[in-house]
């Protein structure tokens, strides 16, 4: 378990480095983001993906979608899950926090544009991260792009921006690390010497179910 914690903590530092990117550049294109993120993912194999989510007010949603499409993200649409689990355009709300930049995109296409405020576990973590200005991990979730039934979780790191005039701090971006729990455990165990020990990690899911990782 300590090995898993070490890998997760190391990855949190990597996700936090996105704050440095946005302190240097106010605007980052998808291509610039890809160039910055790819080496980080190569060095942190337990990270499934890294994303930047943007806080978007309702009256800015259409403009945000248009800007994303203009930068090469064809057919970009902010989405949520319907009652039957299908991705659909978001319903009217006062605010959205969609995935705006994502790497790698291949295999994660469904997650691009997904509004993480639309789901309760993700929303709780987002609110806490913005209120505390500290990194927050979600509970176990089903990733939008998941194909094999693994549980996942997110590290959400606020990217604060200070107003030069009055010193007020706001958060309009979140750096997000995406993990698949089984992959994280497997990666951590591979880095340990083989001592012939088997163990299970049990965790309570949000609705009380037990998640078992071998």
């Amino acid at each position: 378990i300590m090995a898993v914690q070490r890998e997760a903590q190391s990855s949190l530092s990597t996700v936090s480095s996105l704050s440095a990117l946005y302190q240097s550049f106010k605007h980052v294109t998808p291509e610039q983001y890809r160039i910055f993120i790819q080496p980080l993912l190569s060095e942190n194999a337990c990270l499934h993906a890294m994303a930047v989510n943007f806080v978007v007010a309702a009256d800015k949603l259409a403009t945000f979608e248009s800007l994303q499409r203009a930068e090469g993200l064809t057919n970009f649409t902010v989405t949520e899950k319907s009652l039957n689990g299908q991705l659909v355009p978001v319903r009217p709300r006062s605010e959205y926090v969609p995935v705006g930049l994502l790497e790698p995109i291949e295999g994660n296409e469904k997650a691009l544009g997904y509004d993480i405020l639309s789901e309760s576990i993700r929303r709780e973590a987002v609110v806490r991260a913005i209120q505390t200005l500290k990194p927050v991990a979600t509970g176990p979730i089903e990733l939008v792009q998941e194909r094999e039934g693994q549980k996942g979780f997110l590290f959400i790191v606020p990217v604060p921006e200070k107003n030069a005039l009055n010193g007020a701090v706001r958060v309009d971006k979140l750096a997000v690390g995406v993990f698949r729990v089984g992959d994280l455990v497997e990666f951590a165990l591979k880095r340990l010497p083989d001592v012939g020990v088997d163990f299970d990690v049990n965790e309570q899911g949000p609705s009380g179910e037990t998640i078992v990782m071998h």
Side-chain angles (χ1 to χ4, degrees), residues 138-143 146 150-154 178-182:
T138 69
I141 57 174
E142 180 182 337
L143 298 176
E146 180 57 46
Q150 281 197 44
K151 286 292 183 179
F153 69 94
L154 308 177
V178 182
F179 297 83
R180 300 172 81 218
V181 176

Side-chain angles (χ1 to χ4, degrees), residues 106-127:
E106 184 177 356
N108 295 297
E109 294 88 349
K110 288 184 176 181
L112 191 62
Y114 179 70
D115 175 25
I116 61 176
L117 279 189
S118 66
E119 188 276 320
S120 61
I121 297 176
R122 293 170 173 87
R123 181 171 61 249
E124 179 183 354
V126 167
V127 171

Side-chain angles (χ1 to χ4, degrees), residues 2-198:
M2 291 182 63
V4 176
Q5 292 175 333
R6 282 196 300 269
E7 295 300 336
Q9 188 62 43
S10 173
S11 297
L12 175 57
S13 298
T14 301
V15 177
S16 297
S17 69
L18 275 176
S19 291
L21 176 65
Y22 277 97
Q23 287 169 6
S24 301
F25 303 96
K26 296 300 181 183
H27 177 73
V28 178
T29 67
E31 178 61 17
Q32 290 169 334
Y33 183 75
R34 183 189 66 80
I35 292 171
F36 180 82
I37 291 298
Q38 280 192 338
L40 299 180
L41 289 174
S42 297
E43 295 168 5
N44 292 268
C46 58
L47 263 168
H48 180 68
M50 290 177 67
V52 178
N53 289 46
F54 295 84
V55 180
V56 182
D59 62 348
K60 304 293 185 183
L61 181 63
T63 299
F64 176 74
E65 291 178 326
S66 296
L67 288 173
Q68 295 298 98
R69 294 167 189 161
E71 293 197 332
L73 300 177
T74 308
N75 300 321
F76 181 93
T77 302
V78 177
T79 61
E80 63 181 33
K81 277 192 174 183
S82 66
L83 292 177
N84 64 2
Q86 300 299 309
L87 288 174
V88 297
V90 287
R91 294 168 293 175
R93 283 192 293 276
S94 62
E95 197 170 62
Y96 308 90
V97 183
V99 178
L101 293 171
L102 179 65
E103 188 65 32
I105 291 181
E106 184 177 356
N108 295 297
E109 294 88 349
K110 288 184 176 181
L112 191 62
Y114 179 70
D115 175 25
I116 61 176
L117 279 189
S118 66
E119 188 276 320
S120 61
I121 297 176
R122 293 170 173 87
R123 181 171 61 249
E124 179 183 354
V126 167
V127 171
R128 193 146 45 95
I130 291 176
Q131 289 178 343
T132 64
L133 298 180
K134 294 180 179 180
V136 174
T138 69
I141 57 174
E142 180 182 337
L143 298 176
V144 175
Q145 64 271 45
E146 180 57 46
R147 299 174 181 176
E148 299 176 3
Q150 281 197 44
K151 286 292 183 179
F153 69 94
L154 308 177
F155 267 147
I156 298 176
V157 181
V159 181
E161 183 173 325
K162 183 177 289 189
N163 187 301
L165 296 178
N166 59 22
V169 175
R170 67 171 187 171
V171 175
D172 58 10
K173 302 178 191 72
L174 300 167
V176 179
V178 182
F179 297 83
R180 300 172 81 218
V181 176
D183 289 352
L184 174 60
V185 172
E186 181 179 359
F187 180 80
L189 293 181
K190 283 181 178 179
R191 291 167 67 103
L192 292 175
D194 185 3
V195 294
V197 176
D198 294 327

